[in-house]
Each structure stands twice: as structure tokens, then as C-alpha cells.
Amino acid sequence: MTRPDLRATADAYDAVAVRYAELPRHDLDGVPLDRAVLAAFADHVRDAGPVAEVGCGPGRVTAHLRDLGLDAFGVDLSPVMVDLARAAYPDLRFEVGSMDALDLPDGSLHGVLSWYSVIHVPPADLAACFAEFRRVLVPGGHLLLGFFEAGGEPVAPFDHKVVTAYRWPVDDLAALARDAGFAEVGRVLREPCEGERFAQGRLLARAG
């Protein structure tokens, strides 16, 4: 991990990891649309093979994927987050790693979930992450992205509570995925829930 932005992101999440992990663990309970998107992703990859949540934080969504019947494991840039995830879900596998250089063989996954992790990648570097997602997926494997949507504006940074993040137009993310060899399956945009500042986007794509 040599890029300064990666080091800054890891350090920032290490610093808040314990407080972050203490937040309510049922944050998907009040958002049925998000649960439906994750369930649709699970339906596409269930019984096919291993699935990675890239940017798993304290492991809650990885555990949710497990509960949906997936052979899921988590990867995160923050060593402290990974330690907390291992303690909370000792039956699951969690590893320290970077989404632009995953320690995985080519074509070893059937699904990749990036649930609010690409938001911290500078726009100029995101294409490399999409290429890495494509590398580790089998042909026909699925990628699901969760992100802050730009609301008709260009991609722009904002003051995320942990470290700089970016709001993305869903069309721009879809174009990056397409350039990396993905075909769009579907997209969902929803308005902010209570306590959220921005619209939320979800993009499901299939590796060509």
C-alpha cells in the first residue's frame, strides 16, 4: 500500500474503527430497498462460488451476505477494522487488502460487493479498481456497488465524517464499469433516509 490516499484512508478508519463498530448493527433493517438490492445480488451468485465484500469495515454486511446463503468473506484496508470484524464474526474470513491490488487469483470470485468503499477512491484512480474487480471475477460473475449519487451534478468530493469521499453520477460509474468489461444489469436510486444527506445509488453489473 504505497499510494498516499490509501494510507490516509486506512489511518482514518483505524482511528474511528472502535466507535464505528459500536454503531447500531441493524442499519439495514429500516431500509427495505437496500435489503432488496443485496438479496437480488445474492440471487445472482448464490451456490456459484466465493463472494468478497471489498471494503467490509466491521463485517456487518459480509455477515448479511452469509445469512443470505453466500460463501462470503471480507477485505478491508484498515487492519483495525479487520480485527474487529474477526472478533464480531469469528466464523467468517476477513483479510487486510486494497481493492486496487487484491491478493486473489484471476477469476477466483463469483461476486464482488463494494458497499460504500469506492466512494473514497479519487476519480482518476477508480478505473484501476474496476479493472481489478474484473480480474478477480469469473466471466458471468457479478459486481454490486453502493455509493452516494451526485444528484445530477458532476462527480465531486464532500466532507465525509471519516475521510474525503466522492458523490458519483450513476451514468459515470456505469461507463467506468463498461470500460472495464462489465455489462450493466440494473441500477437503483433512492432518496435519502432520515439522517442521510444525499441520494443513494446502487449499480449491479455482470463481468463479460
Side-chain angles (χ1 to χ4, degrees):
M1 182 171 54
T2 57
R3 282 185 8 219
D5 61 293
L6 295 179
R7 183 72 267 161
T9 299
D11 290 346
Y13 273 97
D14 279 349
V16 301
V18 173
R19 279 187 293 135
Y20 191 98
E22 290 172 349
L23 293 172
R25 295 197 174 199
H26 304 292
D27 40 6
L28 289 171
D29 289 355
V31 194
L33 194 56
D34 288 2
R35 295 199 309 274
V37 170
L38 290 167
F41 170 71
D43 283 347
H44 279 289
V45 299
R46 188 179 291 110
D47 300 324
V51 173
E53 185 193 2
V54 180
C56 63
R60 296 169 194 161
V61 180
T62 309
H64 183 74
L65 295 181
R66 182 269 317 276
D67 293 343
L68 290 172
L70 303 188
D71 177 14
F73 68 97
V75 179
D76 201 274
L77 199 60
S78 163
V80 179
M81 284 289 193
V82 168
D83 286 345
L84 292 169
R86 288 170 175 166
Y89 307 102
D91 57 322
L92 291 175
R93 167 185 159 202
F94 295 97
E95 300 175 353
V96 177
S98 175
M99 71 177 71
D100 67 343
L102 294 165
D103 187 18
L104 294 166
D106 295 358
S108 57
L109 299 179
H110 289 260
V112 170
L113 173 65
S114 172
W115 199 248
Y116 295 93
S117 53
V118 298
I119 64 169
H120 295 301
V121 179
D125 298 322
L126 193 52
C129 296
F130 277 72
E132 185 69 349
F133 296 157
R134 178 63 192 87
R135 181 188 70 79
V136 299
L137 281 168
V138 298
H142 285 75
L143 168 67
L144 177 61
L145 304 174
F147 57 97
F148 297 103
E149 215 280 326
E153 300 296 325
V155 59
F158 69 94
D159 56 336
H160 187 275
K161 291 180 180 178
V162 179
V163 66
T164 299
Y166 298 85
R167 298 171 64 196
W168 276 90
V170 64
D171 285 341
D172 288 10
L173 282 183
L176 282 174
R178 185 171 60 251
D179 290 346
F182 289 93
E184 181 175 343
V185 174
R187 60 179 71 182
V188 172
L189 300 178
R190 69 163 176 80
E191 293 302 306
C193 294
E194 183 178 355
E196 295 177 340
R197 288 186 286 169
F198 307 120
Q200 312 291 308
R202 288 82 180 86
L203 179 69
L204 180 64
R206 181 178 61 253

PDB file of all heavy atoms in Angstrom, residues 75-98:
ATOM      1  N   VAL A  75     -12.776  -8.068   2.884  1.00  0.00           N
ATOM      2  CA  VAL A  75     -11.443  -7.480   2.713  1.00  0.00           C
ATOM      3  C   VAL A  75     -11.556  -6.005   3.071  1.00  0.00           C
ATOM      4  O   VAL A  75     -12.518  -5.341   2.658  1.00  0.00           O
ATOM      5  CB  VAL A  75     -10.940  -7.617   1.260  1.00  0.00           C
ATOM      6  CG1 VAL A  75      -9.572  -6.971   1.099  1.00  0.00           C
ATOM      7  CG2 VAL A  75     -10.904  -9.071   0.826  1.00  0.00           C
ATOM      8  N   ASP A  76     -10.603  -5.496   3.822  1.00  0.00           N
ATOM      9  CA  ASP A  76     -10.630  -4.076   4.159  1.00  0.00           C
ATOM     10  C   ASP A  76      -9.216  -3.531   4.269  1.00  0.00           C
ATOM     11  O   ASP A  76      -8.278  -4.249   4.639  1.00  0.00           O
ATOM     12  CB  ASP A  76     -11.380  -3.828   5.477  1.00  0.00           C
ATOM     13  CG  ASP A  76     -11.860  -2.387   5.596  1.00  0.00           C
ATOM     14  OD1 ASP A  76     -11.071  -1.538   6.066  1.00  0.00           O
ATOM     15  OD2 ASP A  76     -12.998  -2.100   5.196  1.00  0.00           O
ATOM     16  N   LEU A  77      -9.090  -2.237   3.961  1.00  0.00           N
ATOM     17  CA  LEU A  77      -7.808  -1.548   4.009  1.00  0.00           C
ATOM     18  C   LEU A  77      -7.323  -1.329   5.438  1.00  0.00           C
ATOM     19  O   LEU A  77      -6.123  -1.210   5.687  1.00  0.00           O
ATOM     20  CB  LEU A  77      -7.969  -0.204   3.296  1.00  0.00           C
ATOM     21  CG  LEU A  77      -6.766   0.562   2.791  1.00  0.00           C
ATOM     22  CD1 LEU A  77      -5.977  -0.248   1.786  1.00  0.00           C
ATOM     23  CD2 LEU A  77      -7.236   1.882   2.162  1.00  0.00           C
ATOM     24  N   SER A  78      -8.260  -1.258   6.385  1.00  0.00           N
ATOM     25  CA  SER A  78      -7.953  -0.923   7.774  1.00  0.00           C
ATOM     26  C   SER A  78      -7.693  -2.180   8.599  1.00  0.00           C
ATOM     27  O   SER A  78      -8.611  -2.975   8.825  1.00  0.00           O
ATOM     28  CB  SER A  78      -9.112  -0.143   8.389  1.00  0.00           C
ATOM     29  OG  SER A  78      -9.051  -0.138   9.797  1.00  0.00           O
ATOM     30  N   PRO A  79      -6.478  -2.369   9.113  1.00  0.00           N
ATOM     31  CA  PRO A  79      -6.209  -3.535   9.962  1.00  0.00           C
ATOM     32  C   PRO A  79      -7.071  -3.570  11.221  1.00  0.00           C
ATOM     33  O   PRO A  79      -7.473  -4.645  11.669  1.00  0.00           O
ATOM     34  CB  PRO A  79      -4.726  -3.393  10.310  1.00  0.00           C
ATOM     35  CG  PRO A  79      -4.149  -2.550   9.213  1.00  0.00           C
ATOM     36  CD  PRO A  79      -5.246  -1.593   8.845  1.00  0.00           C
ATOM     37  N   VAL A  80      -7.378  -2.402  11.781  1.00  0.00           N
ATOM     38  CA  VAL A  80      -8.202  -2.378  12.988  1.00  0.00           C
ATOM     39  C   VAL A  80      -9.614  -2.841  12.672  1.00  0.00           C
ATOM     40  O   VAL A  80     -10.231  -3.600  13.432  1.00  0.00           O
ATOM     41  CB  VAL A  80      -8.199  -0.981  13.627  1.00  0.00           C
ATOM     42  CG1 VAL A  80      -9.073  -0.963  14.880  1.00  0.00           C
ATOM     43  CG2 VAL A  80      -6.777  -0.556  13.985  1.00  0.00           C
ATOM     44  N   MET A  81     -10.156  -2.397  11.553  1.00  0.00           N
ATOM     45  CA  MET A  81     -11.483  -2.853  11.141  1.00  0.00           C
ATOM     46  C   MET A  81     -11.501  -4.369  10.956  1.00  0.00           C
ATOM     47  O   MET A  81     -12.452  -5.053  11.355  1.00  0.00           O
ATOM     48  CB  MET A  81     -11.902  -2.167   9.842  1.00  0.00           C
ATOM     49  CG  MET A  81     -12.350  -0.727   9.991  1.00  0.00           C
ATOM     50  SD  MET A  81     -13.957  -0.607  10.818  1.00  0.00           S
ATOM     51  CE  MET A  81     -14.340   1.120  10.460  1.00  0.00           C
ATOM     52  N   VAL A  82     -10.473  -4.901  10.335  1.00  0.00           N
ATOM     53  CA  VAL A  82     -10.411  -6.342  10.114  1.00  0.00           C
ATOM     54  C   VAL A  82     -10.366  -7.086  11.446  1.00  0.00           C
ATOM     55  O   VAL A  82     -11.050  -8.106  11.631  1.00  0.00           O
ATOM     56  CB  VAL A  82      -9.205  -6.703   9.229  1.00  0.00           C
ATOM     57  CG1 VAL A  82      -8.938  -8.206   9.225  1.00  0.00           C
ATOM     58  CG2 VAL A  82      -9.446  -6.214   7.802  1.00  0.00           C
ATOM     59  N   ASP A  83      -9.593  -6.586  12.416  1.00  0.00           N
ATOM     60  CA  ASP A  83      -9.553  -7.219  13.737  1.00  0.00           C
ATOM     61  C   ASP A  83     -10.929  -7.215  14.391  1.00  0.00           C
ATOM     62  O   ASP A  83     -11.354  -8.213  14.991  1.00  0.00           O
ATOM     63  CB  ASP A  83      -8.551  -6.493  14.637  1.00  0.00           C
ATOM     64  CG  ASP A  83      -7.099  -6.779  14.272  1.00  0.00           C
ATOM     65  OD1 ASP A  83      -6.852  -7.747  13.526  1.00  0.00           O
ATOM     66  OD2 ASP A  83      -6.222  -6.015  14.724  1.00  0.00           O
ATOM     67  N   LEU A  84     -11.647  -6.095  14.280  1.00  0.00           N
ATOM     68  CA  LEU A  84     -12.982  -6.007  14.870  1.00  0.00           C
ATOM     69  C   LEU A  84     -13.957  -6.949  14.173  1.00  0.00           C
ATOM     70  O   LEU A  84     -14.799  -7.581  14.824  1.00  0.00           O
ATOM     71  CB  LEU A  84     -13.495  -4.564  14.792  1.00  0.00           C
ATOM     72  CG  LEU A  84     -12.761  -3.554  15.677  1.00  0.00           C
ATOM     73  CD1 LEU A  84     -13.174  -2.132  15.326  1.00  0.00           C
ATOM     74  CD2 LEU A  84     -13.049  -3.831  17.156  1.00  0.00           C
ATOM     75  N   ALA A  85     -13.845  -7.048  12.857  1.00  0.00           N
ATOM     76  CA  ALA A  85     -14.728  -7.955  12.115  1.00  0.00           C
ATOM     77  C   ALA A  85     -14.465  -9.403  12.525  1.00  0.00           C
ATOM     78  O   ALA A  85     -15.410 -10.189  12.721  1.00  0.00           O
ATOM     79  CB  ALA A  85     -14.512  -7.765  10.617  1.00  0.00           C
ATOM     80  N   ARG A  86     -13.205  -9.769  12.650  1.00  0.00           N
ATOM     81  CA  ARG A  86     -12.875 -11.138  13.059  1.00  0.00           C
ATOM     82  C   ARG A  86     -13.413 -11.448  14.454  1.00  0.00           C
ATOM     83  O   ARG A  86     -13.871 -12.560  14.724  1.00  0.00           O
ATOM     84  CB  ARG A  86     -11.360 -11.331  13.029  1.00  0.00           C
ATOM     85  CG  ARG A  86     -10.766 -11.391  11.622  1.00  0.00           C
ATOM     86  CD  ARG A  86      -9.248 -11.334  11.667  1.00  0.00           C
ATOM     87  NE  ARG A  86      -8.646 -11.516  10.350  1.00  0.00           N
ATOM     88  CZ  ARG A  86      -7.378 -11.252  10.069  1.00  0.00           C
ATOM     89  NH1 ARG A  86      -6.563 -10.796  11.031  1.00  0.00           N
ATOM     90  NH2 ARG A  86      -6.912 -11.434   8.845  1.00  0.00           N
ATOM     91  N   ALA A  87     -13.351 -10.452  15.359  1.00  0.00           N
ATOM     92  CA  ALA A  87     -13.855 -10.664  16.719  1.00  0.00           C
ATOM     93  C   ALA A  87     -15.375 -10.789  16.735  1.00  0.00           C
ATOM     94  O   ALA A  87     -15.938 -11.594  17.485  1.00  0.00           O
ATOM     95  CB  ALA A  87     -13.406  -9.515  17.624  1.00  0.00           C
ATOM     96  N   ALA A  88     -16.050  -9.988  15.910  1.00  0.00           N
ATOM     97  CA  ALA A  88     -17.518  -9.995  15.903  1.00  0.00           C
ATOM     98  C   ALA A  88     -18.084 -11.211  15.182  1.00  0.00           C
ATOM     99  O   ALA A  88     -19.158 -11.715  15.544  1.00  0.00           O
ATOM    100  CB  ALA A  88     -18.034  -8.711  15.258  1.00  0.00           C
ATOM    101  N   TYR A  89     -17.383 -11.682  14.148  1.00  0.00           N
ATOM    102  CA  TYR A  89     -17.883 -12.795  13.324  1.00  0.00           C
ATOM    103  C   TYR A  89     -16.770 -13.825  13.139  1.00  0.00           C
ATOM    104  O   TYR A  89     -16.189 -13.955  12.051  1.00  0.00           O
ATOM    105  CB  TYR A  89     -18.367 -12.263  11.969  1.00  0.00           C
ATOM    106  CG  TYR A  89     -19.372 -11.139  12.095  1.00  0.00           C
ATOM    107  CD1 TYR A  89     -18.976  -9.808  11.897  1.00  0.00           C
ATOM    108  CD2 TYR A  89     -20.694 -11.400  12.434  1.00  0.00           C
ATOM    109  CE1 TYR A  89     -19.897  -8.775  12.032  1.00  0.00           C
ATOM    110  CE2 TYR A  89     -21.615 -10.374  12.573  1.00  0.00           C
ATOM    111  CZ  TYR A  89     -21.209  -9.066  12.371  1.00  0.00           C
ATOM    112  OH  TYR A  89     -22.117  -8.048  12.513  1.00  0.00           O
ATOM    113  N   PRO A  90     -16.451 -14.559  14.201  1.00  0.00           N
ATOM    114  CA  PRO A  90     -15.306 -15.480  14.143  1.00  0.00           C
ATOM    115  C   PRO A  90     -15.490 -16.623  13.153  1.00  0.00           C
ATOM    116  O   PRO A  90     -14.504 -17.291  12.803  1.00  0.00           O
ATOM    117  CB  PRO A  90     -15.192 -15.994  15.586  1.00  0.00           C
ATOM    118  CG  PRO A  90     -16.539 -15.775  16.188  1.00  0.00           C
ATOM    119  CD  PRO A  90     -17.081 -14.539  15.539  1.00  0.00           C
ATOM    120  N   ASP A  91     -16.702 -16.837  12.691  1.00  0.00           N
ATOM    121  CA  ASP A  91     -16.943 -17.905  11.717  1.00  0.00           C
ATOM    122  C   ASP A  91     -16.687 -17.461  10.288  1.00  0.00           C
ATOM    123  O   ASP A  91     -16.749 -18.279   9.364  1.00  0.00           O
ATOM    124  CB  ASP A  91     -18.388 -18.402  11.830  1.00  0.00           C
ATOM    125  CG  ASP A  91     -19.409 -17.294  11.639  1.00  0.00           C
ATOM    126  OD1 ASP A  91     -19.155 -16.163  12.121  1.00  0.00           O
ATOM    127  OD2 ASP A  91     -20.454 -17.544  11.010  1.00  0.00           O
ATOM    128  N   LEU A  92     -16.399 -16.181  10.093  1.00  0.00           N
ATOM    129  CA  LEU A  92     -16.177 -15.644   8.751  1.00  0.00           C
ATOM    130  C   LEU A  92     -14.707 -15.278   8.553  1.00  0.00           C
ATOM    131  O   LEU A  92     -13.977 -15.032   9.522  1.00  0.00           O
ATOM    132  CB  LEU A  92     -17.046 -14.411   8.503  1.00  0.00           C
ATOM    133  CG  LEU A  92     -18.552 -14.671   8.395  1.00  0.00           C
ATOM    134  CD1 LEU A  92     -19.307 -13.346   8.264  1.00  0.00           C
ATOM    135  CD2 LEU A  92     -18.863 -15.564   7.208  1.00  0.00           C
ATOM    136  N   ARG A  93     -14.312 -15.194   7.297  1.00  0.00           N
ATOM    137  CA  ARG A  93     -12.931 -14.860   6.936  1.00  0.00           C
ATOM    138  C   ARG A  93     -12.841 -13.377   6.600  1.00  0.00           C
ATOM    139  O   ARG A  93     -13.648 -12.850   5.828  1.00  0.00           O
ATOM    140  CB  ARG A  93     -12.529 -15.710   5.735  1.00  0.00           C
ATOM    141  CG  ARG A  93     -11.256 -15.315   5.027  1.00  0.00           C
ATOM    142  CD  ARG A  93     -11.088 -16.201   3.805  1.00  0.00           C
ATOM    143  NE  ARG A  93     -10.222 -15.644   2.793  1.00  0.00           N
ATOM    144  CZ  ARG A  93     -10.248 -15.996   1.521  1.00  0.00           C
ATOM    145  NH1 ARG A  93     -11.123 -16.909   1.101  1.00  0.00           N
ATOM    146  NH2 ARG A  93      -9.422 -15.452   0.652  1.00  0.00           N
ATOM    147  N   PHE A  94     -11.855 -12.705   7.189  1.00  0.00           N
ATOM    148  CA  PHE A  94     -11.599 -11.296   6.901  1.00  0.00           C
ATOM    149  C   PHE A  94     -10.107 -11.104   6.700  1.00  0.00           C
ATOM    150  O   PHE A  94      -9.292 -11.673   7.433  1.00  0.00           O
ATOM    151  CB  PHE A  94     -12.093 -10.400   8.043  1.00  0.00           C
ATOM    152  CG  PHE A  94     -13.583 -10.440   8.235  1.00  0.00           C
ATOM    153  CD1 PHE A  94     -14.152 -11.267   9.192  1.00  0.00           C
ATOM    154  CD2 PHE A  94     -14.413  -9.663   7.438  1.00  0.00           C
ATOM    155  CE1 PHE A  94     -15.517 -11.312   9.364  1.00  0.00           C
ATOM    156  CE2 PHE A  94     -15.794  -9.712   7.598  1.00  0.00           C
ATOM    157  CZ  PHE A  94     -16.350 -10.533   8.560  1.00  0.00           C
ATOM    158  N   GLU A  95      -9.759 -10.291   5.705  1.00  0.00           N
ATOM    159  CA  GLU A  95      -8.364 -10.078   5.358  1.00  0.00           C
ATOM    160  C   GLU A  95      -8.091  -8.596   5.148  1.00  0.00           C
ATOM    161  O   GLU A  95      -8.984  -7.845   4.713  1.00  0.00           O
ATOM    162  CB  GLU A  95      -8.016 -10.815   4.059  1.00  0.00           C
ATOM    163  CG  GLU A  95      -8.218 -12.315   4.106  1.00  0.00           C
ATOM    164  CD  GLU A  95      -7.976 -12.976   2.761  1.00  0.00           C
ATOM    165  OE1 GLU A  95      -7.790 -12.234   1.767  1.00  0.00           O
ATOM    166  OE2 GLU A  95      -7.993 -14.212   2.703  1.00  0.00           O
ATOM    167  N   VAL A  96      -6.863  -8.168   5.436  1.00  0.00           N
ATOM    168  CA  VAL A  96      -6.426  -6.819   5.101  1.00  0.00           C
ATOM    169  C   VAL A  96      -6.013  -6.803   3.634  1.00  0.00           C
ATOM    170  O   VAL A  96      -5.275  -7.686   3.177  1.00  0.00           O
ATOM    171  CB  VAL A  96      -5.243  -6.381   5.991  1.00  0.00           C
ATOM    172  CG1 VAL A  96      -4.742  -4.999   5.574  1.00  0.00           C
ATOM    173  CG2 VAL A  96      -5.650  -6.386   7.462  1.00  0.00           C
ATOM    174  N   GLY A  97      -6.513  -5.823   2.886  1.00  0.00           N
ATOM    175  CA  GLY A  97      -6.164  -5.734   1.473  1.00  0.00           C
ATOM    176  C   GLY A  97      -6.709  -4.476   0.850  1.00  0.00           C
ATOM    177  O   GLY A  97      -7.560  -3.789   1.422  1.00  0.00           O
ATOM    178  N   SER A  98      -6.214  -4.176  -0.335  1.00  0.00           N
ATOM    179  CA  SER A  98      -6.611  -2.975  -1.072  1.00  0.00           C
ATOM    180  C   SER A  98      -7.373  -3.375  -2.322  1.00  0.00           C
ATOM    181  O   SER A  98      -6.984  -4.305  -3.033  1.00  0.00           O
ATOM    182  CB  SER A  98      -5.366  -2.165  -1.458  1.00  0.00           C
ATOM    183  OG  SER A  98      -5.728  -1.063  -2.260  1.00  0.00           O
TER     184      SER A  98
END
